[in-house]
Amino acid sequence: MVKINIYAIVKPQKDEFDKLSNEFIKMCSKYAKVEVHSIFNKNIAKAQTIGEKEAQKSYSDAYEPFMKGYCIALDVLGQKVDSFEFSEMITNNSEINFFIGGAYGFQREFLKKCNKSISLSSLTMAHKVVTLVLLEQVFRGLAIKNNHPYHK
């Protein structure tokens, strides 16, 4: 079974987005093990008050231990993919790790370490919205691969 991790630089909070996210995680569970991880620490909080470069470095440092399997960064400048290309990406690997950038985005060096960099939109979105959109696309991709009628 495919393992899909979604990492976001955000303080964990329980709200209505979590309920929707959990519904998509449950729908995915027939095809993949999907988990969402909120990453936030003192180094990130401090770095974000200093500036962009410091913040981006703190994100890279926080994500570095999770760089295994097939790594995909979500970046506004990343490649645009359709649902079928996305489906191929997430079903041709046994472990996929998605990294959502912090408030200041990613260091270019971090993006180079990832197997792929994709963009869900040219718009800037809140982390909770991005996570929800990503979870929907993960389920859609799994549905495409498994001939589930959701995609139609």
Side-chain angles (χ1 to χ4, degrees):
M1 181 174 282
V2 176
K3 172 127 175 67
I4 299 173
N5 292 299
I6 298 171
Y7 296 96
I9 302 288
V10 63
K11 293 177 187 172
Q13 296 174 346
K14 298 284 182 206
D15 59 17
E16 295 301 313
F17 282 98
D18 287 337
K19 290 179 186 175
L20 292 169
S21 293
N22 287 334
E23 283 299 311
F24 279 109
I25 290 169
K26 184 179 175 183
M27 290 165 41
C28 290
S29 68
K30 183 176 180 181
Y31 309 112
K33 180 174 174 47
V34 178
E35 293 181 359
V36 176
H37 308 274
S38 298
I39 309 285
F40 201 84
N41 58 40
K42 291 176 188 175
N43 292 339
I44 292 170
K46 182 179 178 184
Q48 287 186 146
T49 65
I50 297 171
E52 181 177 349
K53 288 181 182 178
E54 292 82 3
Q56 288 177 343
K57 182 177 181 335
S58 73
Y59 307 152
S60 296
D61 292 345
Y63 281 155
E64 200 75 37
F66 307 106
M67 300 277 307
K68 57 185 188 278
Y70 192 79
C71 296
I72 302 169
L74 298 185
D75 186 73
V76 70
L77 300 176
Q79 178 186 353
K80 305 274 193 252
V81 296
D82 65 25
S83 295
F84 292 95
E85 292 168 312
F86 187 87
S87 177
E88 286 296 316
M89 233 182 344
I90 66 167
T91 55
N92 285 340
N93 298 286
S94 61
E95 182 176 1
I96 298 102
N97 295 299
F98 286 98
F99 297 98
I100 300 171
Y104 292 97
F106 288 109
Q107 289 180 310
R108 292 299 124 202
E109 295 81 23
F110 179 83
L111 294 174
K112 289 176 187 172
K113 291 179 183 177
C114 291
N115 298 94
K116 199 167 214 47
S117 176
I118 65 169
S119 174
L120 294 179
S121 172
S122 295
L123 300 171
T124 301
M125 297 182 225
H127 283 88
K128 290 184 171 283
V129 174
V130 171
T131 300
L132 190 57
V133 169
L134 180 57
L135 284 167
E136 192 279 337
Q137 285 302 302
V138 166
F139 180 68
R140 182 175 299 277
L142 293 168
I144 289 168
K145 192 66 169 186
N146 292 282
N147 297 312
H148 186 282
Y150 178 82
H151 180 65
K152 304 212 182 324

